[in-house]
Structure formats: structure tokens, C-alpha cells
Amino acid sequence: MTQQGEVLIFQTPDGGDIEVIDGVVTMTGGLESAVYLSMFGDDGDWWGNIGVPQNQKISGRLGKLIDTLPPIPVNLLRLEDAAKSDINWLGAGVVVAASMPALNTVKITVSIGETKLEFTENWNSHK
């Protein structure tokens, strides 16, 4: 049996992860993994960048800003702009919204046509 698509990378409290059931990696035909890696891929910590030349590493601006900006509503626009920049390769028609559903939490919603992807992250600036 051949699976098509790409490995599904989903969000966890510790970052992105994959699922393996009975030795088979869960796959997706959608954009979930590509969007997640575009926004939250970090050239310092992500395992997929190990051994990759610096100019080819995946590195999202959004994840870096979440780690450095104070978690206050005025910074939501900066997070939206960073997310839009990270996924600009998707072309026109992509809508990004950032909100604070709880204290020290940010939710990024990406709408691509009829597809809606939501990513919720702890927003505690560490620096």
C-alpha cells in the first residue's frame, strides 16, 4: 500500500511531532505540515534542520517572535505580519489572524480557501 502526501506534523506543547501507528507514519495530503514548518520551523532547534546547510534551513519568523515579544495584545499584529511573511509562498487569498484566547497563549488561524488551520502556542517570551 502506497501512501501519498507528506508526513503529518502536528503541534504539541513541546513543538511539532509526528505519529507512528503500528510502524506506519501518519500522512496528510493537506498543507498542515508545510504551514506549521513555515511558521514555527526554527533553524536552532528543529530536528529536520540537523546537517542541513545554513542557507537551506527552515526558519520561521513567527516562532522567533513568540519567543521574544512580550505576550500583550499590541504585539498580535506583529505576529500576524510574521505569519503572513512565513507563508507568503502560498500566494494570494490566504488570511491570517492572531488572537489571545487565554493569558500567555496565542492562537494563529490560517485560512486557505475553505481550509482553516489553527495553531495554539504558549506565549512566554524567554528572552
Side-chain angles (χ1 to χ4, degrees), residues 31-75:
L31 292 169
E32 300 94 336
S33 298
V35 171
Y36 178 84
L37 290 174
S38 293
M39 294 189 305
F40 298 103
D42 183 330
D43 63 356
D45 297 331
W46 184 56
W47 57 266
N49 280 333
I50 296 172
V52 175
Q54 186 65 32
N55 65 343
Q56 295 176 6
K57 290 184 178 186
I58 295 173
S59 179
R61 287 182 52 224
L62 176 62
K64 290 177 183 169
L65 285 180
I66 289 173
D67 284 345
T68 57
L69 290 177
I72 54 177
V74 71
N75 285 327

mmCIF file of all heavy atoms in Angstrom, residues 31-75:
data_model
loop_
_atom_site.group_PDB
_atom_site.id
_atom_site.type_symbol
_atom_site.label_atom_id
_atom_site.label_comp_id
_atom_site.label_asym_id
_atom_site.label_seq_id
_atom_site.Cartn_x
_atom_site.Cartn_y
_atom_site.Cartn_z
ATOM 1 N N LEU A 31 -2.054 20.858 3.686
ATOM 2 C CA LEU A 31 -0.959 21.800 3.876
ATOM 3 C C LEU A 31 -0.539 21.964 5.335
ATOM 4 O O LEU A 31 0.283 22.820 5.650
ATOM 5 C CB LEU A 31 -1.366 23.173 3.327
ATOM 6 C CG LEU A 31 -1.535 23.249 1.820
ATOM 7 C CD1 LEU A 31 -2.189 24.569 1.425
ATOM 8 C CD2 LEU A 31 -0.190 23.090 1.128
ATOM 9 N N GLU A 32 -1.095 21.137 6.246
ATOM 10 C CA GLU A 32 -0.841 21.315 7.672
ATOM 11 C C GLU A 32 0.650 21.362 8.000
ATOM 12 O O GLU A 32 1.121 22.276 8.679
ATOM 13 C CB GLU A 32 -1.476 20.183 8.493
ATOM 14 C CG GLU A 32 -2.955 20.064 8.365
ATOM 15 C CD GLU A 32 -3.378 19.056 7.295
ATOM 16 O OE1 GLU A 32 -2.595 18.772 6.354
ATOM 17 O OE2 GLU A 32 -4.515 18.565 7.397
ATOM 18 N N SER A 33 1.385 20.378 7.530
ATOM 19 C CA SER A 33 2.813 20.289 7.865
ATOM 20 C C SER A 33 3.612 21.433 7.253
ATOM 21 O O SER A 33 4.469 22.020 7.910
ATOM 22 C CB SER A 33 3.389 18.948 7.410
ATOM 23 O OG SER A 33 2.750 17.889 8.085
ATOM 24 N N ALA A 34 3.336 21.738 6.002
ATOM 25 C CA ALA A 34 4.073 22.808 5.321
ATOM 26 C C ALA A 34 3.843 24.156 5.998
ATOM 27 O O ALA A 34 4.789 24.925 6.200
ATOM 28 C CB ALA A 34 3.671 22.869 3.852
ATOM 29 N N VAL A 35 2.605 24.431 6.376
ATOM 30 C CA VAL A 35 2.301 25.696 7.048
ATOM 31 C C VAL A 35 2.941 25.720 8.429
ATOM 32 O O VAL A 35 3.559 26.715 8.828
ATOM 33 C CB VAL A 35 0.776 25.936 7.121
ATOM 34 C CG1 VAL A 35 0.451 27.125 8.008
ATOM 35 C CG2 VAL A 35 0.207 26.142 5.719
ATOM 36 N N TYR A 36 2.824 24.618 9.175
ATOM 37 C CA TYR A 36 3.417 24.558 10.510
ATOM 38 C C TYR A 36 4.927 24.811 10.443
ATOM 39 O O TYR A 36 5.466 25.634 11.191
ATOM 40 C CB TYR A 36 3.137 23.202 11.176
ATOM 41 C CG TYR A 36 3.766 23.098 12.530
ATOM 42 C CD1 TYR A 36 3.122 23.616 13.652
ATOM 43 C CD2 TYR A 36 5.022 22.531 12.707
ATOM 44 C CE1 TYR A 36 3.709 23.559 14.907
ATOM 45 C CE2 TYR A 36 5.616 22.469 13.952
ATOM 46 C CZ TYR A 36 4.956 22.982 15.046
ATOM 47 O OH TYR A 36 5.544 22.935 16.282
ATOM 48 N N LEU A 37 5.613 24.112 9.554
ATOM 49 C CA LEU A 37 7.066 24.276 9.458
ATOM 50 C C LEU A 37 7.459 25.661 8.971
ATOM 51 O O LEU A 37 8.469 26.211 9.399
ATOM 52 C CB LEU A 37 7.664 23.209 8.543
ATOM 53 C CG LEU A 37 7.637 21.800 9.102
ATOM 54 C CD1 LEU A 37 8.122 20.805 8.044
ATOM 55 C CD2 LEU A 37 8.476 21.692 10.362
ATOM 56 N N SER A 38 6.653 26.235 8.085
ATOM 57 C CA SER A 38 6.955 27.582 7.588
ATOM 58 C C SER A 38 6.893 28.617 8.697
ATOM 59 O O SER A 38 7.686 29.554 8.737
ATOM 60 C CB SER A 38 5.979 27.976 6.476
ATOM 61 O OG SER A 38 6.177 27.170 5.347
ATOM 62 N N MET A 39 5.956 28.446 9.637
ATOM 63 C CA MET A 39 5.787 29.436 10.690
ATOM 64 C C MET A 39 6.609 29.129 11.941
ATOM 65 O O MET A 39 7.093 30.040 12.605
ATOM 66 C CB MET A 39 4.308 29.547 11.079
ATOM 67 C CG MET A 39 3.439 30.093 9.975
ATOM 68 S SD MET A 39 1.742 30.474 10.484
ATOM 69 C CE MET A 39 1.184 28.943 11.191
ATOM 70 N N PHE A 40 6.744 27.859 12.274
ATOM 71 C CA PHE A 40 7.374 27.508 13.544
ATOM 72 C C PHE A 40 8.699 26.788 13.403
ATOM 73 O O PHE A 40 9.331 26.458 14.401
ATOM 74 C CB PHE A 40 6.413 26.657 14.394
ATOM 75 C CG PHE A 40 5.155 27.379 14.755
ATOM 76 C CD1 PHE A 40 3.962 27.103 14.100
ATOM 77 C CD2 PHE A 40 5.158 28.356 15.737
ATOM 78 C CE1 PHE A 40 2.802 27.772 14.431
ATOM 79 C CE2 PHE A 40 4.001 29.032 16.068
ATOM 80 C CZ PHE A 40 2.815 28.734 15.408
ATOM 81 N N GLY A 41 9.120 26.498 12.166
ATOM 82 C CA GLY A 41 10.425 25.879 11.967
ATOM 83 C C GLY A 41 11.493 26.807 12.505
ATOM 84 O O GLY A 41 11.485 27.999 12.251
ATOM 85 N N ASP A 42 12.404 26.278 13.269
ATOM 86 C CA ASP A 42 13.442 27.091 13.907
ATOM 87 C C ASP A 42 14.794 26.485 13.588
ATOM 88 O O ASP A 42 15.057 25.343 13.931
ATOM 89 C CB ASP A 42 13.208 27.113 15.422
ATOM 90 C CG ASP A 42 14.189 28.003 16.155
ATOM 91 O OD1 ASP A 42 15.329 28.157 15.688
ATOM 92 O OD2 ASP A 42 13.821 28.540 17.196
ATOM 93 N N ASP A 43 15.638 27.256 12.933
ATOM 94 C CA ASP A 43 16.922 26.698 12.498
ATOM 95 C C ASP A 43 17.829 26.307 13.655
ATOM 96 O O ASP A 43 18.822 25.647 13.452
ATOM 97 C CB ASP A 43 17.639 27.660 11.549
ATOM 98 C CG ASP A 43 17.990 28.981 12.199
ATOM 99 O OD1 ASP A 43 17.634 29.217 13.358
ATOM 100 O OD2 ASP A 43 18.628 29.786 11.526
ATOM 101 N N GLY A 44 17.462 26.645 14.872
ATOM 102 C CA GLY A 44 18.293 26.253 16.000
ATOM 103 C C GLY A 44 17.867 24.962 16.652
ATOM 104 O O GLY A 44 18.690 24.186 17.117
ATOM 105 N N ASP A 45 16.567 24.693 16.685
ATOM 106 C CA ASP A 45 16.075 23.574 17.472
ATOM 107 C C ASP A 45 15.415 22.451 16.683
ATOM 108 O O ASP A 45 15.321 21.344 17.171
ATOM 109 C CB ASP A 45 15.049 24.075 18.501
ATOM 110 C CG ASP A 45 15.667 25.040 19.492
ATOM 111 O OD1 ASP A 45 16.865 24.917 19.757
ATOM 112 O OD2 ASP A 45 14.939 25.919 19.981
ATOM 113 N N TRP A 46 14.914 22.706 15.493
ATOM 114 C CA TRP A 46 14.123 21.708 14.804
ATOM 115 C C TRP A 46 15.001 20.583 14.286
ATOM 116 O O TRP A 46 15.992 20.807 13.594
ATOM 117 C CB TRP A 46 13.319 22.351 13.682
ATOM 118 C CG TRP A 46 12.415 21.381 13.008
ATOM 119 C CD1 TRP A 46 11.465 20.620 13.598
ATOM 120 C CD2 TRP A 46 12.400 21.056 11.625
ATOM 121 N NE1 TRP A 46 10.841 19.844 12.665
ATOM 122 C CE2 TRP A 46 11.401 20.088 11.439
ATOM 123 C CE3 TRP A 46 13.126 21.483 10.527
ATOM 124 C CZ2 TRP A 46 11.110 19.542 10.202
ATOM 125 C CZ3 TRP A 46 12.825 20.945 9.300
ATOM 126 C CH2 TRP A 46 11.822 19.983 9.144
ATOM 127 N N TRP A 47 14.630 19.327 14.572
ATOM 128 C CA TRP A 47 15.430 18.161 14.190
ATOM 129 C C TRP A 47 15.590 18.045 12.675
ATOM 130 O O TRP A 47 16.577 17.488 12.194
ATOM 131 C CB TRP A 47 14.818 16.874 14.760
ATOM 132 C CG TRP A 47 13.389 16.637 14.349
ATOM 133 C CD1 TRP A 47 12.275 16.993 15.055
ATOM 134 C CD2 TRP A 47 12.925 16.030 13.150
ATOM 135 N NE1 TRP A 47 11.143 16.643 14.362
ATOM 136 C CE2 TRP A 47 11.504 16.037 13.190
ATOM 137 C CE3 TRP A 47 13.550 15.472 12.037
ATOM 138 C CZ2 TRP A 47 10.727 15.519 12.167
ATOM 139 C CZ3 TRP A 47 12.754 14.948 11.019
ATOM 140 C CH2 TRP A 47 11.372 14.976 11.094
ATOM 141 N N GLY A 48 14.652 18.544 11.909
ATOM 142 C CA GLY A 48 14.733 18.456 10.457
ATOM 143 C C GLY A 48 15.826 19.322 9.854
ATOM 144 O O GLY A 48 16.162 19.174 8.684
ATOM 145 N N ASN A 49 16.404 20.227 10.636
ATOM 146 C CA ASN A 49 17.483 21.086 10.147
ATOM 147 C C ASN A 49 18.867 20.555 10.492
ATOM 148 O O ASN A 49 19.863 21.165 10.124
ATOM 149 C CB ASN A 49 17.329 22.500 10.712
ATOM 150 C CG ASN A 49 16.302 23.298 9.949
ATOM 151 O OD1 ASN A 49 16.052 23.054 8.776
ATOM 152 N ND2 ASN A 49 15.684 24.246 10.622
ATOM 153 N N ILE A 50 18.946 19.420 11.177
ATOM 154 C CA ILE A 50 20.250 18.863 11.550
ATOM 155 C C ILE A 50 20.983 18.430 10.285
ATOM 156 O O ILE A 50 20.460 17.687 9.458
ATOM 157 C CB ILE A 50 20.087 17.673 12.518
ATOM 158 C CG1 ILE A 50 19.476 18.160 13.828
ATOM 159 C CG2 ILE A 50 21.433 16.984 12.761
ATOM 160 C CD1 ILE A 50 19.087 17.058 14.788
ATOM 161 N N GLY A 51 22.174 18.926 10.109
ATOM 162 C CA GLY A 51 23.006 18.563 8.969
ATOM 163 C C GLY A 51 22.658 19.272 7.674
ATOM 164 O O GLY A 51 23.251 18.993 6.640
ATOM 165 N N VAL A 52 21.709 20.191 7.710
ATOM 166 C CA VAL A 52 21.296 20.923 6.513
ATOM 167 C C VAL A 52 22.134 22.199 6.405
ATOM 168 O O VAL A 52 22.351 22.880 7.411
ATOM 169 C CB VAL A 52 19.789 21.278 6.587
ATOM 170 C CG1 VAL A 52 19.365 22.132 5.416
ATOM 171 C CG2 VAL A 52 18.951 20.010 6.666
ATOM 172 N N PRO A 53 22.637 22.530 5.202
ATOM 173 C CA PRO A 53 23.389 23.776 5.058
ATOM 174 C C PRO A 53 22.575 24.978 5.531
ATOM 175 O O PRO A 53 21.347 25.011 5.370
ATOM 176 C CB PRO A 53 23.659 23.862 3.551
ATOM 177 C CG PRO A 53 23.549 22.455 3.067
ATOM 178 C CD PRO A 53 22.537 21.788 3.947
ATOM 179 N N GLN A 54 23.231 25.954 6.108
ATOM 180 C CA GLN A 54 22.566 27.121 6.702
ATOM 181 C C GLN A 54 21.582 27.786 5.747
ATOM 182 O O GLN A 54 20.490 28.156 6.149
ATOM 183 C CB GLN A 54 23.616 28.139 7.177
ATOM 184 C CG GLN A 54 23.036 29.319 7.923
ATOM 185 C CD GLN A 54 22.373 28.928 9.242
ATOM 186 O OE1 GLN A 54 22.781 27.987 9.894
ATOM 187 N NE2 GLN A 54 21.333 29.652 9.619
ATOM 188 N N ASN A 55 21.941 27.913 4.479
ATOM 189 C CA ASN A 55 21.074 28.619 3.534
ATOM 190 C C ASN A 55 19.862 27.798 3.099
ATOM 191 O O ASN A 55 19.016 28.281 2.368
ATOM 192 C CB ASN A 55 21.870 29.073 2.309
ATOM 193 C CG ASN A 55 22.402 27.914 1.491
ATOM 194 O OD1 ASN A 55 22.459 26.775 1.956
ATOM 195 N ND2 ASN A 55 22.822 28.202 0.272
ATOM 196 N N GLN A 56 19.757 26.539 3.564
ATOM 197 C CA GLN A 56 18.617 25.690 3.215
ATOM 198 C C GLN A 56 17.759 25.329 4.423
ATOM 199 O O GLN A 56 16.782 24.602 4.304
ATOM 200 C CB GLN A 56 19.109 24.404 2.545
ATOM 201 C CG GLN A 56 19.789 24.642 1.223
ATOM 202 C CD GLN A 56 20.343 23.359 0.630
ATOM 203 O OE1 GLN A 56 20.131 22.273 1.141
ATOM 204 N NE2 GLN A 56 21.063 23.503 -0.464
ATOM 205 N N LYS A 57 18.109 25.839 5.599
ATOM 206 C CA LYS A 57 17.362 25.515 6.804
ATOM 207 C C LYS A 57 16.019 26.231 6.825
ATOM 208 O O LYS A 57 15.886 27.345 6.342
ATOM 209 C CB LYS A 57 18.160 25.910 8.055
ATOM 210 C CG LYS A 57 19.367 25.034 8.268
ATOM 211 C CD LYS A 57 20.078 25.370 9.545
ATOM 212 C CE LYS A 57 21.253 24.418 9.735
ATOM 213 N NZ LYS A 57 21.894 24.602 11.012
ATOM 214 N N ILE A 58 15.037 25.546 7.388
ATOM 215 C CA ILE A 58 13.717 26.141 7.560
ATOM 216 C C ILE A 58 13.737 26.977 8.830
ATOM 217 O O ILE A 58 14.180 26.518 9.879
ATOM 218 C CB ILE A 58 12.636 25.047 7.661
ATOM 219 C CG1 ILE A 58 12.549 24.282 6.340
ATOM 220 C CG2 ILE A 58 11.294 25.641 8.046
ATOM 221 C CD1 ILE A 58 11.637 23.094 6.381
ATOM 222 N N SER A 59 13.281 28.206 8.719
ATOM 223 C CA SER A 59 13.309 29.096 9.869
ATOM 224 C C SER A 59 12.153 30.078 9.775
ATOM 225 O O SER A 59 12.135 30.944 8.912
ATOM 226 C CB SER A 59 14.630 29.857 9.898
ATOM 227 O OG SER A 59 14.674 30.741 10.983
ATOM 228 N N GLY A 60 11.163 29.910 10.666
ATOM 229 C CA GLY A 60 10.007 30.789 10.643
ATOM 230 C C GLY A 60 10.189 31.998 11.551
ATOM 231 O O GLY A 60 10.710 31.894 12.653
ATOM 232 N N ARG A 61 9.750 33.165 11.079
ATOM 233 C CA ARG A 61 9.811 34.389 11.883
ATOM 234 C C ARG A 61 8.820 34.345 13.038
ATOM 235 O O ARG A 61 9.086 34.859 14.114
ATOM 236 C CB ARG A 61 9.505 35.606 11.003
ATOM 237 C CG ARG A 61 10.616 35.971 10.054
ATOM 238 C CD ARG A 61 10.293 37.212 9.233
ATOM 239 N NE ARG A 61 9.871 38.326 10.067
ATOM 240 C CZ ARG A 61 8.842 39.128 9.786
ATOM 241 N NH1 ARG A 61 8.142 38.956 8.681
ATOM 242 N NH2 ARG A 61 8.525 40.114 10.582
ATOM 243 N N LEU A 62 7.644 33.753 12.798
ATOM 244 C CA LEU A 62 6.593 33.742 13.806
ATOM 245 C C LEU A 62 7.057 33.088 15.099
ATOM 246 O O LEU A 62 6.911 33.658 16.178
ATOM 247 C CB LEU A 62 5.349 33.025 13.283
ATOM 248 C CG LEU A 62 4.212 32.873 14.295
ATOM 249 C CD1 LEU A 62 3.685 34.228 14.737
ATOM 250 C CD2 LEU A 62 3.116 32.009 13.724
ATOM 251 N N GLY A 63 7.619 31.906 15.013
ATOM 252 C CA GLY A 63 8.082 31.206 16.211
ATOM 253 C C GLY A 63 9.105 32.004 16.991
ATOM 254 O O GLY A 63 9.079 32.039 18.229
ATOM 255 N N LYS A 64 9.987 32.685 16.276
ATOM 256 C CA LYS A 64 11.006 33.503 16.949
ATOM 257 C C LYS A 64 10.373 34.689 17.682
ATOM 258 O O LYS A 64 10.778 35.028 18.790
ATOM 259 C CB LYS A 64 12.044 33.974 15.942
ATOM 260 C CG LYS A 64 12.920 32.850 15.439
ATOM 261 C CD LYS A 64 13.881 33.331 14.389
ATOM 262 C CE LYS A 64 14.670 32.145 13.866
ATOM 263 N NZ LYS A 64 15.435 32.445 12.696
ATOM 264 N N LEU A 65 9.371 35.324 17.047
ATOM 265 C CA LEU A 65 8.716 36.458 17.703
ATOM 266 C C LEU A 65 7.926 36.030 18.934
ATOM 267 O O LEU A 65 7.910 36.735 19.934
ATOM 268 C CB LEU A 65 7.799 37.191 16.723
ATOM 269 C CG LEU A 65 8.491 38.065 15.685
ATOM 270 C CD1 LEU A 65 7.459 38.728 14.783
ATOM 271 C CD2 LEU A 65 9.375 39.107 16.340
ATOM 272 N N ILE A 66 7.282 34.876 18.858
ATOM 273 C CA ILE A 66 6.553 34.378 20.022
ATOM 274 C C ILE A 66 7.508 34.176 21.193
ATOM 275 O O ILE A 66 7.154 34.397 22.343
ATOM 276 C CB ILE A 66 5.789 33.081 19.689
ATOM 277 C CG1 ILE A 66 4.611 33.415 18.771
ATOM 278 C CG2 ILE A 66 5.298 32.378 20.953
ATOM 279 C CD1 ILE A 66 3.877 32.199 18.226
ATOM 280 N N ASP A 67 8.736 33.781 20.889
ATOM 281 C CA ASP A 67 9.739 33.570 21.945
ATOM 282 C C ASP A 67 10.346 34.865 22.472
ATOM 283 O O ASP A 67 10.952 34.862 23.537
ATOM 284 C CB ASP A 67 10.869 32.675 21.440
ATOM 285 C CG ASP A 67 10.469 31.208 21.368
ATOM 286 O OD1 ASP A 67 9.439 30.842 21.968
ATOM 287 O OD2 ASP A 67 11.183 30.444 20.702
ATOM 288 N N THR A 68 10.219 35.963 21.730
ATOM 289 C CA THR A 68 10.924 37.176 22.136
ATOM 290 C C THR A 68 10.026 38.361 22.490
ATOM 291 O O THR A 68 10.428 39.202 23.294
ATOM 292 C CB THR A 68 11.919 37.621 21.043
ATOM 293 O OG1 THR A 68 11.221 37.820 19.825
ATOM 294 C CG2 THR A 68 13.022 36.588 20.844
ATOM 295 N N LEU A 69 8.850 38.442 21.888
ATOM 296 C CA LEU A 69 7.960 39.569 22.174
ATOM 297 C C LEU A 69 7.171 39.339 23.459
ATOM 298 O O LEU A 69 6.765 38.210 23.734
ATOM 299 C CB LEU A 69 6.961 39.775 21.037
ATOM 300 C CG LEU A 69 7.489 40.299 19.718
ATOM 301 C CD1 LEU A 69 6.350 40.366 18.710
ATOM 302 C CD2 LEU A 69 8.126 41.662 19.888
ATOM 303 N N PRO A 70 6.900 40.384 24.217
ATOM 304 C CA PRO A 70 6.041 40.231 25.399
ATOM 305 C C PRO A 70 4.631 39.824 24.976
ATOM 306 O O PRO A 70 4.125 40.295 23.953
ATOM 307 C CB PRO A 70 6.034 41.629 26.027
ATOM 308 C CG PRO A 70 7.127 42.386 25.384
ATOM 309 C CD PRO A 70 7.413 41.748 24.069
ATOM 310 N N PRO A 71 3.984 38.959 25.743
ATOM 311 C CA PRO A 71 2.636 38.495 25.404
ATOM 312 C C PRO A 71 1.561 39.522 25.752
ATOM 313 O O PRO A 71 0.829 39.376 26.731
ATOM 314 C CB PRO A 71 2.486 37.211 26.214
ATOM 315 C CG PRO A 71 3.387 37.406 27.387
ATOM 316 C CD PRO A 71 4.533 38.251 26.898
ATOM 317 N N ILE A 72 1.492 40.567 24.936
ATOM 318 C CA ILE A 72 0.498 41.618 25.143
ATOM 319 C C ILE A 72 -0.253 41.837 23.827
ATOM 320 O O ILE A 72 0.307 41.637 22.747
ATOM 321 C CB ILE A 72 1.153 42.936 25.642
ATOM 322 C CG1 ILE A 72 2.273 43.387 24.702
ATOM 323 C CG2 ILE A 72 1.694 42.747 27.066
ATOM 324 C CD1 ILE A 72 2.914 44.704 25.070
ATOM 325 N N PRO A 73 -1.519 42.238 23.896
ATOM 326 C CA PRO A 73 -2.343 42.352 22.688
ATOM 327 C C PRO A 73 -1.750 43.229 21.588
ATOM 328 O O PRO A 73 -1.942 42.946 20.410
ATOM 329 C CB PRO A 73 -3.653 42.942 23.221
ATOM 330 C CG PRO A 73 -3.727 42.475 24.634
ATOM 331 C CD PRO A 73 -2.293 42.494 25.119
ATOM 332 N N VAL A 74 -1.027 44.261 21.944
ATOM 333 C CA VAL A 74 -0.475 45.162 20.927
ATOM 334 C C VAL A 74 0.496 44.427 19.986
ATOM 335 O O VAL A 74 0.700 44.857 18.854
ATOM 336 C CB VAL A 74 0.185 46.403 21.579
ATOM 337 C CG1 VAL A 74 1.479 46.026 22.278
ATOM 338 C CG2 VAL A 74 0.392 47.498 20.567
ATOM 339 N N ASN A 75 1.057 43.309 20.417
ATOM 340 C CA ASN A 75 2.002 42.569 19.580
ATOM 341 C C ASN A 75 1.327 41.565 18.647
ATOM 342 O O ASN A 75 1.999 40.935 17.830
ATOM 343 C CB ASN A 75 3.037 41.854 20.448
ATOM 344 C CG ASN A 75 4.057 42.827 20.988
ATOM 345 O OD1 ASN A 75 4.398 43.814 20.333
ATOM 346 N ND2 ASN A 75 4.539 42.574 22.186
#
